[in-house]
Amino acid sequence: MPESTAKLIDGKVYAERLLARVTDEVAQLKANHGLQPGLAVVLVGDDPASQIYVRSKGERSLAAGMHSVTHLLPADTPQSELLRVIEELNADPLIHGILVQLPLPKSLDERAVAALIDPDKDVDGLHVINAGRLATGEPALTPCTPLGCMILLRETVGDLTGLRAVVVGRSVLVGRPIAQLLLQADCTVTIAHSKSRDLPAICREADILVAAVGRPRMIRGDWIKPGAAVIDVGINRVPFDDPVKAAAGRTKVVGDVNFKEASQVAGWITPAPGGVGPMTVAVLLQNTVTAAKRLAGIEA
Ligand code: NDP
């Protein structure tokens, strides 16, 4: 196979840059307004991946100079107790951003939880009010991963006006908000999903292809328009290719795009891991700063 032709979009570099900006802004808010943005993260249960994400969110917010609170609740927490914790955080003046780590245990109702979070503190952007604001182009708190994807596209492709964008996946958390943001950036947007016909042909039209599916390496090299920007949101655990490691039960993370093939054709591509993932936490902190400024009446 020939050498890769695509330029690699290194999410870690852009995430560190954004974190540095957020850290500066937090210092200025403290110095000029006596305001310390505060983030509360709530984790229910003991899913190992979620524990890692939640720890990282807490550590990163402290490192940026923010106030950080983590609520660790047991897996059998009743809905009423989780809702009580959220109400307490809604009323807490030191907290400007509330994030409930998903997925929740099956016994809990994610929609009811999202609906109770104060929309002005909803830094995950999952409340219907924020989804509605995003859809109508009003200032919203926007879901972190989609906003992270847009920052990567702006930093690499630049002006997106008039480009054809295809988003594969239509979840409330990822696919739909990314499509809204691409539309706001004046792209011509197609949203594909599990019922779409001839997905490879749809993808081949894309100047910007965003994969948010959750199926390892589903998007093949010959689905990609030469020179396209490919953003791979997928995080999928698969056995190692090395049979010895695979037999030992070891797994690794791959994206929704077949990176080896796609990087021969694309113009830009995010690796997975190391592409979109690092942006998510950085944008979460940025959203918390935005929420803190809006709540304090400081122009955001
Ligand atoms: P969901 O399972 O909620 O949504 C998946 C979407 O993919 C659905 O809209 C589904 O279609 C569509 N889909 C499934 N199979 C196919 C197929 N064969 N062809 C076309 N479309 C298909 O997942 P999420 O949106 O929450 O997450 C997507 C991926 O992104 C996952 O791998 C997740 O781990 C990752 N992720 C990464 C984050 C990060 O920080 N990097 C953050 C959040 C998620 P339909 O609606 O018809 O069922």
Side-chain angles (χ1 to χ4, degrees):
M1 227 179 224
E3 281 293 297
S4 155
T5 56
K7 291 186 206 129
L8 200 68
I9 304 175
D10 185 343
K12 282 181 254 169
V13 170
Y14 295 105
E16 287 305 326
R17 231 181 258 175
L18 180 55
L19 285 168
R21 274 211 303 274
V22 168
T23 306
D24 276 355
E25 203 170 359
V26 169
Q28 279 176 31
L29 284 172
K30 276 192 207 165
N32 300 336
H33 300 276
L35 175 65
Q36 183 181 32
L39 173 66
V41 179
V42 181
L43 172 63
V44 187
D46 45 19
D47 174 65
S50 294
Q51 282 174 333
I52 294 171
Y53 294 144
V54 166
R55 199 176 319 129
S56 149
K57 286 166 186 171
E59 287 169 1
R60 287 294 192 163
S61 42
L62 284 176
M66 295 166 56
H67 173 55
S68 166
V69 174
T70 305
H71 287 265
L72 301 175
L73 306 177
D76 60 358
T77 299
Q79 175 91 0
S80 56
E81 171 60 9
L82 177 58
L83 297 183
R84 192 197 59 74
V85 170
I86 290 168
E87 272 173 343
E88 208 175 279
L89 294 170
N90 280 343
D92 186 341
L94 298 181
I95 296 298
H96 308 96
I98 302 170
L99 179 138
V100 177
Q101 185 68 40
L102 300 178
L104 288 172
K106 295 260 177 296
S107 57
L108 299 172
D109 179 353
E110 286 182 1
R111 280 182 185 228
V113 170
L116 189 67
I117 296 175
D118 178 347
D120 295 332
K121 295 189 177 186
D122 170 36
V123 281
D124 222 4
L126 289 180
H127 195 289
V128 286
I129 288 194
N130 280 312
R133 285 177 182 154
L134 179 64
T136 52
E138 284 176 44
L141 284 168
T142 307
C144 304
T145 302
L147 202 48
C149 294
M150 290 306 290
I151 294 171
L152 294 179
L153 284 168
R154 293 271 192 209
E155 294 278 353
T156 50
V157 180
D159 183 11
L160 309 182
T161 305
L163 296 182
R164 295 201 65 124
V166 172
V167 181
V168 189
R170 56 175 166 179
S171 71
V172 171
L173 184 62
V174 191
R176 282 169 204 248
I178 290 180
Q180 294 290 354
L181 290 168
L182 287 163
L183 192 60
Q184 272 181 21
D186 294 326
C187 293
T188 303
V189 183
T190 301
I191 306 175
H193 46 78
S194 68
K195 308 289 188 298
S196 296
R197 289 189 194 159
D198 200 355
L199 187 59
I202 296 170
C203 291
R204 268 180 221 117
E205 301 221 319
D207 302 306
I208 294 168
L209 179 61
V210 182
V213 185
R215 290 183 172 258
R217 302 177 179 131
M218 184 187 86
I219 304 225
R220 308 297 305 257
D222 63 358
W223 297 21
I224 293 174
K225 180 175 177 178
V230 177
I231 304 290
D232 188 354
V233 183
I235 300 177
N236 308 290
R237 285 224 152 259
V238 297
F240 266 94
D241 302 328
D242 176 345
V244 179
K245 287 180 181 165
R250 290 179 60 188
T251 58
K252 62 176 180 175
V253 170
V254 299
D256 291 339
V257 176
N258 184 318
F259 181 85
K260 222 178 190 174
E261 294 177 4
S263 57
Q264 315 292 323
V265 189
W268 291 271
I269 190 165
T270 57
V276 173
M279 292 301 290
T280 300
V281 177
V283 173
L284 172 66
L285 301 202
Q286 187 191 45
N287 275 354
T288 305
V289 169
T290 302
K293 284 164 77 174
R294 288 189 185 144
L295 285 163
I298 301 164
E299 199 181 329

Coordinates of all heavy atoms in Angstrom, one line a residue, residues 204-282:
R204 N -19.4 9.2 -0.7 CA -18.4 9.6 -1.7 C -18.7 11.1 -2.2 O -17.9 11.7 -2.9 CB -18.6 8.7 -2.9 CG -17.6 7.5 -2.9 CD -17.7 6.6 -4.1 NE -17.5 5.2 -3.6 CZ -18.5 4.3 -3.7 NH1 -19.6 4.5 -4.3 NH2 -18.2 3.1 -3.2
E205 N -19.9 11.6 -1.8 CA -20.2 13.0 -2.2 C -19.6 14.0 -1.3 O -19.6 15.2 -1.5 CB -21.7 13.2 -2.2 CG -22.4 12.2 -3.1 CD -23.6 12.9 -3.9 OE1 -24.3 13.7 -3.2 OE2 -23.7 12.7 -5.1
A206 N -19.1 13.5 -0.1 CA -18.7 14.4 1.0 C -17.4 15.1 0.8 O -16.4 14.4 0.7 CB -18.8 13.6 2.3
D207 N -17.4 16.4 0.9 CA -16.1 17.1 1.1 C -15.7 17.0 2.6 O -14.5 17.0 2.9 CB -16.3 18.6 0.8 CG -16.8 18.9 -0.6 OD1 -16.1 18.3 -1.6 OD2 -17.8 19.5 -0.8
I208 N -16.7 16.9 3.4 CA -16.5 16.7 4.9 C -17.3 15.5 5.3 O -18.5 15.4 5.1 CB -17.0 17.9 5.7 CG1 -16.1 19.1 5.4 CG2 -16.9 17.6 7.2 CD1 -16.7 20.4 5.9
L209 N -16.6 14.5 5.8 CA -17.3 13.3 6.2 C -17.1 13.1 7.7 O -16.0 13.0 8.2 CB -16.7 12.0 5.4 CG -17.3 10.7 5.7 CD1 -18.8 10.7 5.4 CD2 -16.6 9.6 5.0
V210 N -18.2 13.0 8.4 CA -18.1 12.8 9.9 C -18.8 11.5 10.2 O -19.9 11.2 9.8 CB -18.9 13.9 10.6 CG1 -18.8 13.7 12.1 CG2 -18.4 15.3 10.3
A211 N -18.0 10.6 10.8 CA -18.5 9.3 11.2 C -18.8 9.2 12.7 O -17.9 9.4 13.5 CB -17.5 8.2 10.8
A212 N -20.0 9.0 13.0 CA -20.4 8.9 14.4 C -21.4 7.8 14.6 O -22.6 7.9 14.8 CB -21.1 10.2 14.9
V213 N -20.9 6.6 14.4 CA -21.7 5.4 14.3 C -21.6 4.4 15.4 O -22.5 3.9 16.0 CB -21.4 4.6 12.9 CG1 -22.3 3.5 12.7 CG2 -21.4 5.6 11.8
G214 N -20.3 4.1 15.8 CA -20.1 3.1 16.8 C -19.9 1.7 16.2 O -20.2 0.7 16.8
R215 N -19.4 1.6 14.9 CA -19.1 0.4 14.3 C -17.7 0.4 13.8 O -17.3 1.2 12.9 CB -20.0 0.1 13.1 CG -21.4 -0.1 13.5 CD -22.3 -0.4 12.3 NE -23.6 -0.9 12.8 CZ -24.0 -2.1 12.9 NH1 -23.2 -3.1 12.4 NH2 -25.2 -2.4 13.4
P216 N -16.8 -0.5 14.3 CA -15.4 -0.4 14.1 C -15.1 -0.5 12.6 O -15.5 -1.4 11.9 CB -14.8 -1.7 14.8 CG -16.0 -2.5 15.3 CD -17.2 -1.6 15.3
R217 N -14.3 0.5 12.1 CA -13.7 0.6 10.8 C -14.8 0.3 9.6 O -14.4 -0.2 8.6 CB -12.6 -0.5 10.6 CG -11.5 -0.3 11.6 CD -10.5 -1.5 11.4 NE -9.4 -1.4 12.3 CZ -9.0 -2.5 13.0 NH1 -9.6 -3.6 13.0 NH2 -7.9 -2.3 13.8
M218 N -16.0 0.8 9.9 CA -17.1 0.5 8.9 C -16.8 1.3 7.6 O -17.1 0.8 6.5 CB -18.4 1.0 9.5 CG -19.6 0.7 8.6 SD -21.1 1.4 9.3 CE -21.1 3.0 8.7
I219 N -16.3 2.5 7.7 CA -16.2 3.4 6.5 C -14.9 3.1 5.8 O -13.8 3.2 6.4 CB -16.2 4.9 7.0 CG1 -17.6 5.1 7.7 CG2 -16.0 5.8 5.8 CD1 -18.4 6.2 7.5
R220 N -15.0 2.6 4.6 CA -13.9 2.1 3.8 C -13.2 3.2 3.0 O -13.8 4.2 2.7 CB -14.3 0.9 2.9 CG -15.1 -0.2 3.6 CD -14.3 -0.9 4.6 NE -13.0 -1.5 4.1 CZ -12.8 -2.7 3.8 NH1 -13.8 -3.6 3.9 NH2 -11.6 -3.1 3.4
G221 N -12.0 2.9 2.6 CA -11.3 3.9 1.8 C -12.0 4.3 0.5 O -12.0 5.5 0.1
D222 N -12.7 3.3 -0.2 CA -13.3 3.7 -1.4 C -14.7 4.3 -1.3 O -15.4 4.5 -2.2 CB -13.4 2.4 -2.4 CG -14.2 1.3 -1.8 OD1 -14.8 1.5 -0.7 OD2 -14.4 0.3 -2.5
W223 N -15.0 4.7 0.0 CA -16.2 5.5 0.3 C -15.9 7.0 0.3 O -16.7 7.8 0.5 CB -16.8 5.1 1.6 CG -17.3 3.7 1.8 CD1 -17.0 2.6 1.1 CD2 -18.3 3.3 2.8 NE1 -17.6 1.5 1.6 CE2 -18.4 1.9 2.6 CE3 -19.0 3.9 3.8 CZ2 -19.3 1.1 3.4 CZ3 -19.8 3.2 4.6 CH2 -19.9 1.8 4.4
I224 N -14.6 7.3 0.2 CA -14.1 8.6 0.5 C -13.8 9.4 -0.8 O -13.1 8.8 -1.6 CB -13.0 8.6 1.5 CG1 -13.6 8.0 2.8 CG2 -12.3 9.9 1.7 CD1 -12.6 7.8 3.9
K225 N -14.3 10.6 -0.8 CA -13.9 11.4 -2.0 C -12.5 11.9 -1.9 O -12.1 12.3 -0.8 CB -14.9 12.7 -2.0 CG -14.7 13.7 -3.1 CD -15.8 14.7 -2.9 CE -15.6 15.8 -3.9 NZ -16.7 16.8 -3.8
P226 N -11.7 11.8 -2.9 CA -10.3 12.2 -2.8 C -10.2 13.7 -2.3 O -10.9 14.5 -2.7 CB -9.7 12.1 -4.2 CG -10.6 11.0 -4.8 CD -12.0 11.2 -4.2
G227 N -9.3 13.8 -1.2 CA -9.1 15.2 -0.7 C -10.1 15.6 0.4 O -9.9 16.6 1.0
A228 N -11.1 14.7 0.7 CA -12.1 15.1 1.7 C -11.4 15.2 3.1 O -10.4 14.6 3.4 CB -13.2 14.0 1.8
A229 N -12.1 15.9 4.0 CA -11.8 16.0 5.4 C -12.6 14.9 6.2 O -13.8 14.9 6.1 CB -12.0 17.4 6.0
V230 N -11.9 14.0 6.8 CA -12.6 12.9 7.5 C -12.5 13.0 9.0 O -11.4 13.1 9.5 CB -12.1 11.5 7.0 CG1 -12.8 10.4 7.8 CG2 -12.3 11.4 5.5
I231 N -13.6 13.2 9.7 CA -13.6 13.3 11.2 C -14.3 12.0 11.7 O -15.4 11.7 11.5 CB -14.5 14.5 11.6 CG1 -14.0 15.8 10.9 CG2 -14.5 14.6 13.1 CD1 -12.6 16.3 11.4
D232 N -13.4 11.3 12.5 CA -13.9 10.0 13.0 C -14.2 10.1 14.5 O -13.3 10.2 15.3 CB -12.7 9.0 12.8 CG -13.2 7.5 13.1 OD1 -14.3 7.4 13.6 OD2 -12.4 6.6 12.8
V233 N -15.5 10.1 14.8 CA -15.9 10.3 16.2 C -15.9 8.9 16.9 O -15.8 8.9 18.2 CB -17.3 10.9 16.3 CG1 -17.7 11.1 17.7 CG2 -17.4 12.2 15.5
G234 N -15.9 7.8 16.2 CA -16.1 6.5 16.8 C -15.1 6.1 17.8 O -13.9 6.4 17.7
I235 N -15.6 5.5 18.9 CA -14.7 4.9 19.9 C -15.1 3.4 20.0 O -16.2 3.2 20.6 CB -14.7 5.6 21.3 CG1 -14.4 7.0 21.2 CG2 -13.9 4.8 22.3 CD1 -14.5 7.8 22.5
N236 N -14.4 2.5 19.5 CA -14.8 1.1 19.5 C -13.7 0.2 20.0 O -12.5 0.4 19.6 CB -15.1 0.6 18.1 CG -16.1 1.5 17.4 OD1 -17.3 1.6 17.7 ND2 -15.6 2.3 16.4
R237 N -14.0 -0.7 21.0 CA -13.0 -1.6 21.5 C -13.0 -2.9 20.7 O -14.1 -3.5 20.5 CB -13.3 -1.9 23.0 CG -13.0 -0.9 23.9 CD -12.2 -1.3 25.2 NE -11.4 -0.3 25.7 CZ -10.1 -0.2 25.5 NH1 -9.4 -1.1 24.9 NH2 -9.4 0.9 25.9
V238 N -11.9 -3.3 20.1 CA -11.8 -4.5 19.3 C -10.6 -5.3 19.8 O -9.6 -4.7 20.4 CB -11.6 -4.2 17.8 CG1 -12.8 -3.5 17.3 CG2 -10.3 -3.4 17.6
P239 N -10.5 -6.6 19.6 CA -9.4 -7.4 19.9 C -8.1 -6.9 19.1 O -8.3 -6.4 18.0 CB -9.7 -8.8 19.6 CG -11.2 -8.8 19.4 CD -11.6 -7.4 19.0
F240 N -6.9 -7.1 19.7 CA -5.7 -6.8 19.0 C -5.6 -7.6 17.7 O -6.1 -8.8 17.7 CB -4.5 -7.1 19.9 CG -4.0 -5.8 20.6 CD1 -4.5 -5.6 21.9 CD2 -3.1 -5.0 20.0 CE1 -4.0 -4.4 22.6 CE2 -2.7 -3.9 20.7 CZ -3.1 -3.6 22.0
D241 N -5.0 -7.1 16.6 CA -4.7 -7.9 15.4 C -3.7 -9.0 15.7 O -3.9 -10.1 15.2 CB -4.1 -7.0 14.3 CG -5.1 -5.8 14.0 OD1 -6.3 -6.0 14.1 OD2 -4.6 -4.7 13.6
D242 N -2.8 -8.7 16.6 CA -1.8 -9.7 17.0 C -2.5 -10.9 17.7 O -3.1 -10.7 18.8 CB -0.8 -9.0 17.9 CG 0.3 -10.0 18.5 OD1 0.0 -11.2 18.4 OD2 1.3 -9.5 19.0
P243 N -2.5 -12.1 17.2 CA -3.2 -13.2 17.7 C -2.9 -13.5 19.2 O -3.7 -14.0 20.0 CB -3.0 -14.4 16.8 CG -1.8 -14.0 15.9 CD -1.7 -12.5 16.0
V244 N -1.6 -13.3 19.5 CA -1.1 -13.6 20.9 C -1.8 -12.7 21.9 O -2.4 -13.1 22.9 CB 0.4 -13.5 21.1 CG1 0.8 -13.8 22.5 CG2 1.1 -14.4 20.1
K245 N -1.8 -11.3 21.5 CA -2.5 -10.4 22.4 C -4.0 -10.6 22.4 O -4.6 -10.5 23.5 CB -2.2 -8.9 21.9 CG -0.8 -8.5 22.2 CD -0.6 -7.1 21.6 CE 0.9 -6.6 21.9 NZ 1.2 -5.4 21.1
A246 N -4.5 -10.9 21.3 CA -6.0 -11.2 21.2 C -6.4 -12.4 22.0 O -7.4 -12.3 22.8 CB -6.4 -11.4 19.7
A247 N -5.5 -13.4 22.0 CA -5.9 -14.6 22.8 C -5.8 -14.3 24.3 O -6.5 -14.9 25.1 CB -4.9 -15.7 22.4
A248 N -5.0 -13.3 24.6 CA -4.9 -12.9 26.1 C -6.0 -12.0 26.4 O -6.1 -11.5 27.6 CB -3.5 -12.3 26.3
G249 N -6.9 -11.8 25.5 CA -8.1 -11.0 25.8 C -7.9 -9.5 25.8 O -8.7 -8.7 26.2
R250 N -6.7 -9.1 25.2 CA -6.4 -7.6 25.2 C -7.1 -6.9 24.1 O -7.3 -7.5 23.0 CB -4.9 -7.4 25.1 CG -4.2 -7.9 26.4 CD -2.7 -7.7 26.3 NE -2.3 -6.3 26.0 CZ -1.1 -6.0 25.8 NH1 -0.1 -6.9 25.7 NH2 -0.8 -4.7 25.5
T251 N -7.6 -5.7 24.3 CA -8.3 -5.0 23.3 C -7.7 -3.6 23.1 O -6.9 -3.2 23.9 CB -9.8 -4.7 23.8 OG1 -9.8 -4.0 25.0 CG2 -10.6 -6.0 23.9
K252 N -8.0 -3.0 21.9 CA -7.6 -1.6 21.6 C -8.7 -0.8 21.1 O -9.8 -1.4 20.7 CB -6.4 -1.7 20.6 CG -6.8 -2.3 19.3 CD -5.7 -2.2 18.3 CE -6.1 -2.8 17.0 NZ -5.1 -2.7 15.9
V253 N -8.5 0.5 21.0 CA -9.6 1.4 20.5 C -9.4 1.6 19.0 O -8.2 2.0 18.6 CB -9.6 2.7 21.3 CG1 -10.5 3.7 20.7 CG2 -10.1 2.4 22.7
V254 N -10.4 1.5 18.2 CA -10.4 1.9 16.8 C -11.6 2.8 16.6 O -12.6 2.8 17.3 CB -10.3 0.8 15.8 CG1 -9.1 -0.1 16.0 CG2 -11.6 -0.1 15.9
G255 N -11.6 3.6 15.5 CA -12.7 4.4 15.1 C -13.7 3.7 14.2 O -13.7 2.5 14.0
D256 N -14.6 4.5 13.7 CA -15.6 4.0 12.7 C -15.1 4.0 11.3 O -15.7 3.5 10.4 CB -16.8 5.0 12.7 CG -17.6 4.9 14.0 OD1 -17.5 3.9 14.8 OD2 -18.3 5.8 14.3
V257 N -13.9 4.6 11.1 CA -13.3 4.7 9.8 C -12.1 3.7 9.7 O -11.3 3.6 10.6 CB -12.8 6.2 9.5 CG1 -12.1 6.3 8.2 CG2 -14.0 7.1 9.6
N258 N -12.0 3.1 8.5 CA -10.8 2.2 8.3 C -9.7 3.2 8.0 O -9.5 3.6 6.9 CB -11.1 1.3 7.1 CG -9.9 0.3 6.9 OD1 -8.8 0.7 7.0 ND2 -10.3 -0.9 6.7
F259 N -8.9 3.5 9.0 CA -7.9 4.6 8.9 C -6.9 4.3 7.9 O -6.5 5.2 7.1 CB -7.2 4.8 10.3 CG -6.2 5.9 10.3 CD1 -6.6 7.2 10.5 CD2 -4.9 5.6 10.1 CE1 -5.7 8.2 10.5 CE2 -3.9 6.6 10.0 CZ -4.3 7.9 10.3
K260 N -6.4 3.0 7.8 CA -5.3 2.7 6.9 C -5.8 3.0 5.4 O -5.0 3.6 4.7 CB -5.1 1.2 7.0 CG -3.6 0.8 7.0 CD -3.5 -0.7 7.2 CE -2.1 -1.1 7.5 NZ -2.0 -2.6 7.8
E261 N -7.0 2.6 5.1 CA -7.5 2.8 3.7 C -7.8 4.3 3.5 O -7.4 4.9 2.5 CB -8.7 2.0 3.5 CG -8.5 0.5 3.5 CD -9.8 -0.3 3.3 OE1 -10.9 0.3 3.1 OE2 -9.7 -1.5 3.4
A262 N -8.5 4.8 4.5 CA -9.0 6.2 4.3 C -7.9 7.2 4.2 O -8.0 8.2 3.4 CB -10.0 6.6 5.4
S263 N -6.8 7.0 4.9 CA -5.7 8.0 4.9 C -5.0 8.0 3.6 O -4.2 8.9 3.3 CB -4.8 7.8 6.1 OG -4.3 6.5 6.0
Q264 N -5.2 7.0 2.7 CA -4.7 7.0 1.3 C -5.4 8.0 0.4 O -4.9 8.4 -0.6 CB -4.7 5.6 0.7 CG -4.3 4.5 1.5 CD -2.8 4.5 1.8 OE1 -2.0 4.9 1.0 NE2 -2.5 4.2 3.1
V265 N -6.7 8.3 0.8 CA -7.6 9.0 -0.1 C -7.9 10.4 0.4 O -8.0 11.4 -0.4 CB -8.9 8.2 -0.3 CG1 -9.7 8.8 -1.4 CG2 -8.6 6.7 -0.5
A266 N -8.1 10.5 1.7 CA -8.6 11.8 2.3 C -7.5 12.9 2.2 O -6.3 12.6 2.0 CB -8.9 11.5 3.8
G267 N -8.0 14.1 2.4 CA -7.0 15.2 2.4 C -6.6 15.5 3.9 O -5.4 15.8 4.1
W268 N -7.5 15.4 4.8 CA -7.3 15.5 6.2 C -8.0 14.3 6.9 O -9.1 13.9 6.5 CB -7.9 16.8 6.8 CG -7.2 18.0 6.4 CD1 -6.2 18.6 7.0 CD2 -7.6 18.9 5.3 NE1 -5.9 19.8 6.4 CE2 -6.8 20.0 5.4 CE3 -8.6 18.8 4.4 CZ2 -6.9 21.0 4.4 CZ3 -8.7 19.8 3.5 CH2 -7.9 20.9 3.5
I269 N -7.4 13.8 8.0 CA -8.1 12.8 8.7 C -7.8 12.8 10.2 O -6.6 13.1 10.6 CB -7.8 11.4 8.1 CG1 -8.7 10.3 8.7 CG2 -6.3 11.0 8.3 CD1 -8.7 9.0 7.9
T270 N -8.8 12.5 11.1 CA -8.4 12.4 12.5 C -8.1 11.0 12.8 O -8.7 10.0 12.3 CB -9.7 12.8 13.4 OG1 -10.8 11.9 13.0 CG2 -10.1 14.2 13.2
P271 N -7.1 10.7 13.6 CA -6.8 9.4 14.1 C -7.9 9.0 15.1 O -8.5 9.9 15.7 CB -5.4 9.4 14.7 CG -5.3 10.9 15.1 CD -6.1 11.7 14.2
A272 N -8.1 7.8 15.4 CA -8.9 7.4 16.6 C -8.2 6.2 17.2 O -8.0 5.2 16.6 CB -10.3 7.0 16.1
P273 N -7.7 6.3 18.4 CA -7.9 7.5 19.3 C -6.9 8.6 19.0 O -6.0 8.4 18.1 CB -7.5 6.9 20.7 CG -6.6 5.8 20.4 CD -7.0 5.2 19.1
G274 N -7.1 9.7 19.6 CA -6.1 10.9 19.5 C -6.6 12.0 18.6 O -5.9 12.9 18.3
G275 N -7.9 11.8 18.1 CA -8.4 12.9 17.2 C -9.5 13.7 17.9 O -9.2 14.7 18.6
V276 N -10.7 13.2 17.8 CA -11.8 13.9 18.4 C -11.8 13.8 19.9 O -12.2 14.8 20.6 CB -13.2 13.4 17.8 CG1 -14.4 14.0 18.5 CG2 -13.2 13.6 16.3
G277 N -11.5 12.6 20.4 CA -11.6 12.4 21.9 C -11.0 13.4 22.7 O -11.7 14.0 23.6
P278 N -9.7 13.8 22.5 CA -9.2 14.8 23.4 C -9.9 16.2 23.4 O -9.8 16.9 24.4 CB -7.7 15.0 22.9 CG -7.5 13.8 22.1 CD -8.8 13.3 21.6
M279 N -10.6 16.5 22.3 CA -11.3 17.8 22.2 C -12.5 17.8 23.1 O -12.9 18.9 23.6 CB -11.8 18.0 20.8 CG -10.7 18.2 19.7 SD -9.7 19.6 20.1 CE -10.8 21.0 19.9
T280 N -13.1 16.7 23.4 CA -14.3 16.6 24.2 C -14.2 17.3 25.6 O -15.0 18.1 25.9 CB -14.9 15.2 24.3 OG1 -15.1 14.7 22.9 CG2 -16.2 15.1 25.0
V281 N -13.1 16.9 26.3 CA -12.9 17.5 27.6 C -12.6 18.9 27.5 O -13.1 19.8 28.3 CB -11.8 16.7 28.4 CG1 -11.6 17.3 29.7 CG2 -12.1 15.2 28.5
A282 N -11.7 19.3 26.6 CA -11.4 20.7 26.4 C -12.6 21.6 26.2 O -12.7 22.7 26.8 CB -10.3 20.9 25.3

